[in-house]
């Protein structure tokens, strides 16, 4: 059905097959410009599904762009959430917004997130990104429609590689069981996924027979033939009493010669030259308002940066990474340390590596690249985290040392029950790598930014957890975990390049924290600091402590530099690379010595901070000692799209934000100390008063006896001075003495008078 006016029931716009073909071609052009402006995104899959998108949004689905929440509209769920640009362009072409706005794709504060979020953009029906979940959402929507007795249809768009997720088949079973004929699933069968051909990674054929066995009707079509696509949708709508799946045969990167059937273009955006080449192949290079669109993207970026910078703490200068003439830092992704460890130590015959379709991205592929002799110990498990985790447990049970890795959100969350029950409960030697931790993952957005795994992993008994601070420490940690730690272990590392702050001489020991002290500015950032085992560190009476893990350690180090430069505050940085088990002794000592503790983590605040606070609050050694704790982390928010370092600032986990919190608590500490110590203040005042009084008494003779010297002779002389009378005083003394003689004379006179009276 054409696009509707939900209020009048009239058609807003109708497209012919030829017009749909023209629209699909234009949509590919918008896609190339948007991806180029973003600098990241998925070219291959968006191009393969664009004809289907055009048919669905412009001709098939019953919806109203002017009333996105019209109750009777059809629902379209994008289970293949990484193809979000095609979704956005479909909505823009239908009239939900100005289609040129898609050039703000993946930029900070843009509604066009790296993976779709229904709360940010009208027309998006569900927030997706973790593959395999969309069909289950569609089942729920279809059941709701049945309950409400409404006749809308539910469309679910998936990829063929996505069929490797077990949840897809649970949903397929449910839809078939309930006979949900209002569901129409579409599989974009472009035959490629990140790691290569679907058949090579994990074969899913034959899809038609598999869906048919679950009670589904099957419709096939050429996914680039508009007439066939429209006919397929119409046929699906006519089928009753069972759900329908359209298997659309497509070409990844369709329409661009250097992208077609190339796995490397799965998650890659075209540069400017490649964009113009693609537009020329579409015949749009002279028709499209490319300059205007790119200017719009540029203006959005400037506005976003201005808003972001206005929120940042300000100091006497810009201390951000490599912005000053000295204190330069080398940058390297921590994930590279994981790959190097596997490359160097994978020769051990016990080591087995299991991939989950993103092998190159997380660098687990370095286990077998350049090492063909290890091919029999490498297993590509496809997009199936839960099964792969349990398979790793089976390998460990048989004496192998399995390493399984994927993005942290999937490595710790999608398979949490398998980790808990199958791996940890049996205490198997399974090494889980959680890549792309934190918001610094960047433009992929919330669905791919791991921010909760410390809650999940640290809560599992027997699980050891490492969060190394840089690529070098990551390599050392992975080597130790793999061969020295028995039982399940989890390592968390980041995607983006972060500062290298250690070397092979830097102290490292599993379970033991390091103290890092800023000494003085140097040409190289790393050289400005001294690392010591916390157990060997002697208290230097620092003003406060920053306790950090992972990439937040370099941020804590930079914060220590700022605190010293701006306020003269000395900081003890504690690198707690082992989050479980914690180095409780080092934490308690830092709290006792400094009285102020700020925790720092690129994670939901408290995942690490609450563990540190728990240690401090339960320490008997700290009983009666004042300790105040602050925490830096993501404040109970989901992530969003943006450049990595923009998000570090936006989510307030940068050194600048650590400094603000540390200074606030330091000032509070000093204020409380002053208020809690009135006696020392009073003594100082009394001493001052005594000094003033002594000066005054020196000017007065009477004060001299009180101002005693150490020598008794001087004291005696001082006491004798009053006896040395002046001439006037002597005269006065004599005068005082005369009355005694007068008394005798008076008596004599009195006697004479008495005698005279008698004679008379």
């Amino acid at each position: 059905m054409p696009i509707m006016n939900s209020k009048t029931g009239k058609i807003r716009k109708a497209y012919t097959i030829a017009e749909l073909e023209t629209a699909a071609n234009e949509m590919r052009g918008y896609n190339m410009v948007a991806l180029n402006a973003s600098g990241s995104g998925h070219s291959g899959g968006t191009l393969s599904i664009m004809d289907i998108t055009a048919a669905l949004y412009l001709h098939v689905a019953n919806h109203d762009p002017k009333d996105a929440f019209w109750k009777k509209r059809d629902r379209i769920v994008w289970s293949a959430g990484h193809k979000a640009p095609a979704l956005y362009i479909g909505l823009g072409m239908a009239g939900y917004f100005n289609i040129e706005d898609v050039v703000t794709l993946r930029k900070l504060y843009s509604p066009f997130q790296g993976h779709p979020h229904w709360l940010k953009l009208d027309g998006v029906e569900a927030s997706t990104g973790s593959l395999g979940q969309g069909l289950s959402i569609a089942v729920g929507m279809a059941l709701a429609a049945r309950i409400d007795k409404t006749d809308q249809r539910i469309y679910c768009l998936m990829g063929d590689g996505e069929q490797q997720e077990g949840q897809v088949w649970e949903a397929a079973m449910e839809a078939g069981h309930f006979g949900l004929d209002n569901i129409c699933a579409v599989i974009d069968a472009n035959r490629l996924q990140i790691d290569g051909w679907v058949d090579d990674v994990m074969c899913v054929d034959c899809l038609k027979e598999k869906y048919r066995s679950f009670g589904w009707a099957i419709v096939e079509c050429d996914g680039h033939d508009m007439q066939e696509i429209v006919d397929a949708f119409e046929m699906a709508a006519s089928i009753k009493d069972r759900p329908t799946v359209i298997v659309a045969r497509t070409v990844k990167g369709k329409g661009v010669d250097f992208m077609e059937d190339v796995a490397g273009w799965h998650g890659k955006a075209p540069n400017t030259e490649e964009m113009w080449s693609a537009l020329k192949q579409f015949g749009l290079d002279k028709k499209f308002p490319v300059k205007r669109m790119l200017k719009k993207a540029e203006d959005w970026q400037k506005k976003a940066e201005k808003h972001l910078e206005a929120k940042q703490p300000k100091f006497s200068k810009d201390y951000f990474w490599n912005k000053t003439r000295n204190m330069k830092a080398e940058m390297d992704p921590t994930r590279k340390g994981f790959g190097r460890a596997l490359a160097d130590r994978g020769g051990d015959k016990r080591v087995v590596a299991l991939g989950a379709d993103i092998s190159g991205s997380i660098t687990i592929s370095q286990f077998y690249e350049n090492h063909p002799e290890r091919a029999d110990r490498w297993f590509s498990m496809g997009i199936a985290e839960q099964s792969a985790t349990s398979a790793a447990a089976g390998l460990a049970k048989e004496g192998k040392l399995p390493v399984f890795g994927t993005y942290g959100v999937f490595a710790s969350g999608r398979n949490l029950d398998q980790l808990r029950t199958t791996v940890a409960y049996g205490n198997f030697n399974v090494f889980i790598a959680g890549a792309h931790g934190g918001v610094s993952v960047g433009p992929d957005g919330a669905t791919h930014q791991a921010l909760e795994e410390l809650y999940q992993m640290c809560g599992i008994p027997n699980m050891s957890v490492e969060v190394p601070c840089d690529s070098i420490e990551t390599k050392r940690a992975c080597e130790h975990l793999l061969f020295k730690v028995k039982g399940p272990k989890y390592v968390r590392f980041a995607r983006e390049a972060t500062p290298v702050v250690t070397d092979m001489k830097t102290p490292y020991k599993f379970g033991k924290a390091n103290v890092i002290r800023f000494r003085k500015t140097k040409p190289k950032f790393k050289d400005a600091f001294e690392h010591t085992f916390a157990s060997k560190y002697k208290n230097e009476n620092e003003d406060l402590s920053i306790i950090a893990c992972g990439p937040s350690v370099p941020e804590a180090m930079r914060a220590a530099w700022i605190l010293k430069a701006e306020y003269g505050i000395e900081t003890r940085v504690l690198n707690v690379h082992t989050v479980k088990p914690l180095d409780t002794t080092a934490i308690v000592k830092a709290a006792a010595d400094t009285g102020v503790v700020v925790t720092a983590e690129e994670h939901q605040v408290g995942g690490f901070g609450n563990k540190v606070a728990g240690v401090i609050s339960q320490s008997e050694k700290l009983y009666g000692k004042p300790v105040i704790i602050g925490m830096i982390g993501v404040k109970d928010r989901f992530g969003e799209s943006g450049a990595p370092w923009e998000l570090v600032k936006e989510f307030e986990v940068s050194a600048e934000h650590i400094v603000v919190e540390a200074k606030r608590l330091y000032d509070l500490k000093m204020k409380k100390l002053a208020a809690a110590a009135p006696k020392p203040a009073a003594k100082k005042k009394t001493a001052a008063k005594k000094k003033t009084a002594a000066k005054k008494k020196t000017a007065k003779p009477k004060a001299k006896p009180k101002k005693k010297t150490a020598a008794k002779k001087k004291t005696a002389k001082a006491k004798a001075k009053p006896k040395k009378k002046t001439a006037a005083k002597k005269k006065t003394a004599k005068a005082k003495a005369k009355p005694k003689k007068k008394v005798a004379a008076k008596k004599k006179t009195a006697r004479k008078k008495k005698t005279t009276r008698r004679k008379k």
Side-chain angles (χ1 to χ4, degrees):
M1 182 179 288
I3 298 170
M4 296 292 297
N5 183 324
S6 57
K7 292 182 172 59
T8 65
K10 294 181 179 180
I11 296 173
R12 288 192 184 276
K13 187 175 177 64
Y15 285 80
T16 65
I17 296 297
E19 288 173 333
L20 287 174
E21 291 171 344
T22 299
N25 188 60
E26 290 179 359
M27 290 164 68
R28 284 190 168 89
Y30 284 116
N31 187 48
M32 288 293 97
V33 178
L35 288 168
N36 170 259
S38 169
S40 69
H42 298 77
S43 297
T46 51
L47 291 173
S48 68
I49 205 171
M50 201 63 80
D51 295 302
I52 296 167
T53 305
L56 191 54
Y57 280 93
L58 304 180
H59 181 77
V60 175
N62 188 17
H63 63 123
D64 183 359
K66 304 304 179 185
D67 186 1
F69 298 98
W70 173 39
K71 181 68 176 174
K72 294 182 180 180
R73 73 189 183 281
D74 291 339
R75 271 61 165 179
I76 306 173
V77 177
W78 284 71
S79 188
H82 58 283
K83 299 175 184 178
L87 158 61
Y88 303 146
I89 290 165
L91 292 173
M93 286 292 285
Y96 282 81
F97 47 79
N98 181 351
I99 192 170
E100 293 184 12
D101 291 347
V102 297
V103 292
T104 66
L105 174 71
R106 290 176 162 236
K107 295 191 180 300
L108 187 61
Y109 310 128
S110 172
F112 306 106
Q113 294 285 291
H115 291 75
H117 187 18
W118 82 284
L119 296 177
K120 286 186 176 289
L121 185 67
D122 288 352
V124 176
E125 292 289 354
S127 302
T128 56
S130 181
L131 293 176
Q133 299 182 20
L135 190 56
S136 296
I137 298 171
V139 167
M141 290 177 169
L143 289 171
R146 174 177 289 183
I147 292 169
D148 295 340
K149 295 181 173 55
T150 55
D151 60 358
Q152 70 259 37
R153 292 183 63 71
I154 316 298
Y155 298 94
C156 180
L157 306 183
M158 299 181 286
D160 48 355
E162 185 177 1
Q163 307 304 300
Q164 294 160 0
E165 280 287 7
Q167 186 176 342
V168 169
W169 300 104
E170 293 178 15
M173 177 175 59
E174 294 158 356
H177 175 77
F178 292 118
L180 298 176
D181 58 8
N182 54 351
I183 283 184
C184 176
V186 181
I187 298 176
D188 176 20
N190 60 37
R191 301 165 293 124
L192 280 171
Q193 57 190 102
I194 299 174
D195 277 2
W197 296 103
V198 174
D199 287 352
D200 294 337
V201 175
M202 183 60 62
C203 184
V204 296
D205 280 338
C206 294
L207 288 174
K208 293 181 292 182
E209 286 77 4
K210 289 176 180 176
Y211 272 93
R212 188 175 287 116
S213 70
F214 283 106
W216 286 61
I218 314 299
V219 177
E220 288 187 90
C221 74
D222 179 341
H224 302 307
D225 185 311
M226 193 59 70
Q227 187 64 63
E228 282 196 36
I229 295 170
V230 171
D231 290 345
F233 277 118
E234 290 178 357
M235 185 180 293
S238 68
I239 296 172
K240 303 300 178 185
D241 301 323
R242 52 185 172 154
T244 303
V245 59
I246 298 174
V247 180
R249 300 181 304 276
T250 62
V251 175
K252 199 155 193 169
K254 177 64 176 176
V256 182
D257 56 10
F258 56 85
M259 292 184 183
E260 288 188 354
D261 285 336
V262 178
W265 281 99
H266 173 91
K268 182 181 175 183
N271 59 31
T272 301
E273 183 181 349
E274 291 164 339
M275 175 196 69
W276 281 109
S277 175
L279 291 175
K280 187 175 183 179
Q281 292 179 55
F282 299 145
L284 300 171
D285 55 319
K286 296 179 181 178
K287 297 179 181 179
F288 246 42
V290 178
K291 290 184 178 179
R292 184 174 72 224
M293 293 174 67
L294 293 179
K295 179 65 166 55
K296 178 175 283 194
E298 184 182 340
D299 290 345
W300 179 282
Q301 181 63 31
K302 288 180 180 178
K303 185 177 179 181
E305 288 177 0
K306 184 178 180 180
H307 177 75
L308 179 63
E309 290 305 318
K311 300 195 304 179
Q312 300 311 302
K314 300 295 188 296
F315 304 103
S316 63
K317 63 180 179 181
D318 188 351
Y319 290 90
F320 207 74
W321 295 110
N322 294 329
K323 287 294 183 73
T324 56
R325 62 180 180 82
N326 54 14
M327 297 290 278
K328 300 295 184 181
E330 176 192 349
M331 298 289 187
D332 192 43
T334 52
R335 58 182 167 144
K336 296 292 182 68
F338 171 64
R340 291 165 190 151
L342 292 179
D344 290 352
R345 303 298 298 276
D348 190 303
K349 299 294 185 181
R350 296 170 297 166
V351 179
V352 178
L354 298 88
D357 190 44
I358 47 177
S359 307
S361 181
I362 71 167
T363 72
I364 196 172
S365 58
Q366 290 189 32
F367 169 77
Y368 65 87
E369 289 176 351
N370 303 317
H371 296 283
E373 73 280 4
R374 302 176 187 175
D376 63 341
R377 291 184 283 119
W378 162 255
F379 299 97
S380 181
M381 306 300 284
I383 308 168
E385 298 84 4
Q386 294 157 311
S387 182
T389 300
S390 294
L395 283 162
K397 176 65 170 60
E398 300 305 314
K400 305 303 180 185
L401 296 176
V403 181
F404 171 63
T406 181
Y407 294 161
V409 285
F410 311 137
S412 64
R414 191 70 184 262
N415 56 346
L416 183 59
D417 187 43
Q418 285 75 16
L419 284 172
R420 177 184 179 272
T421 306
T422 308
V423 175
Y425 191 39
N427 200 34
F428 291 126
N429 288 329
V430 175
F431 184 7
I432 305 293
H436 293 40
V439 293
S440 60
V441 171
D444 274 347
T447 59
H448 285 54
Q449 293 166 356
L451 296 175
E452 300 82 23
E453 68 268 47
L454 293 184
Y455 290 126
Q456 295 155 338
M457 292 299 97
C458 292
I460 300 178
N462 295 333
M463 184 70 72
S464 296
V465 180
E466 277 277 303
V467 189
C469 70
D470 65 6
S471 59
I472 293 175
E473 194 169 75
T474 299
K475 182 177 186 294
R476 299 173 77 181
C478 289
E479 291 173 342
H480 183 88
L481 288 171
L482 185 57
F483 296 108
K484 302 295 184 181
V485 176
K486 292 184 178 180
K489 41 258 181 172
Y490 184 89
V491 63
R492 180 182 195 249
F493 50 86
R495 178 189 187 281
E496 183 64 15
T498 53
V500 176
V501 295
T502 71
D503 54 39
M504 294 305 293
K505 294 180 181 179
T506 303
Y508 172 82
K509 188 175 182 181
F510 175 78
K512 299 299 179 183
N514 284 356
V515 168
I516 305 174
R517 289 284 283 119
F518 171 70
R519 295 310 183 191
K520 61 180 180 179
T521 56
K522 292 286 186 72
K524 293 183 178 180
F525 182 87
K526 181 173 72 72
D527 297 340
F529 297 84
E530 183 177 275
H531 300 249
T532 310
F533 278 127
S535 58
K536 296 182 179 180
Y537 181 72
K538 293 182 180 180
N539 183 17
E540 295 184 2
N541 298 312
E542 300 96 325
D543 299 302
L544 57 89
S545 298
I546 302 174
I547 303 180
C549 66
S552 291
V553 171
E555 294 297 327
M557 294 167 68
R558 192 161 63 86
W561 169 34
I562 299 172
L563 285 164
K564 177 65 174 178
E566 295 286 324
Y567 309 111
I569 293 174
E570 295 288 351
T571 304
R572 181 183 305 184
V573 174
L574 208 61
N575 173 15
V576 184
H577 48 74
T578 306
V579 176
K580 186 183 179 185
L582 277 173
D583 187 344
T584 57
T585 302
I587 292 170
V588 169
K589 190 173 188 303
D593 290 348
T594 66
V596 174
V597 169
V598 177
T599 64
E601 57 193 305
E602 194 182 328
H603 186 273
Q604 293 290 356
V605 68
F608 173 68
N610 286 350
K611 291 182 70 64
V612 172
V615 169
I616 293 171
S617 66
Q618 294 178 75
S619 171
E620 294 181 3
K621 291 183 179 180
L622 294 176
Y623 180 73
K625 293 184 178 181
V627 178
I628 188 165
I629 303 172
M631 296 184 190
I632 294 296
V634 177
K635 296 177 175 62
D636 197 29
R637 295 173 58 185
F638 283 104
E640 64 176 87
S641 293
W645 290 107
E646 288 178 341
L647 296 178
V648 167
K649 293 179 179 180
E650 168 64 20
F651 285 85
E652 300 181 356
V653 292
S654 71
E656 287 76 7
H657 295 94
I658 297 174
V659 168
V660 170
E661 179 66 359
K663 180 63 166 58
R664 183 183 73 83
L665 296 183
Y666 169 77
D667 289 344
L668 181 60
K669 166 188 169 181
M670 300 310 294
K671 184 178 179 181
K672 293 292 183 182
L673 284 175
K679 289 182 180 179
K683 285 179 182 177
K684 287 180 182 179
K685 196 171 182 181
T686 303
K689 283 183 177 179
K690 282 184 177 179
K691 194 173 182 181
T692 304
K695 285 181 180 179
K696 288 180 180 179
K697 287 175 182 178
T698 303
K700 296 178 182 179
K702 291 182 180 179
K704 286 182 181 179
K706 291 183 181 178
K707 191 176 181 181
K708 297 178 181 180
T709 62
K712 290 183 179 180
K713 289 180 180 180
K714 287 183 180 181
T715 303
K717 286 179 181 179
K719 287 182 179 179
K721 280 181 183 178
K723 292 180 180 179
K724 287 184 178 182
K725 312 282 185 180
T726 59
K729 284 183 177 179
K730 284 180 180 179
K731 193 174 182 180
T732 304
K734 286 179 182 179
K736 286 182 179 179
K738 285 179 181 178
K740 290 181 180 178
K741 293 179 180 180
K742 284 181 179 179
V743 171
K746 282 181 180 179
K747 286 181 178 180
K748 191 174 181 180
T749 304
R751 285 194 203 106
K752 284 180 179 181
K753 285 181 179 179
K754 216 174 188 182
T755 305
T756 305
R757 283 180 191 140
R758 283 176 186 167
K759 287 180 179 180
K760 286 180 179 180

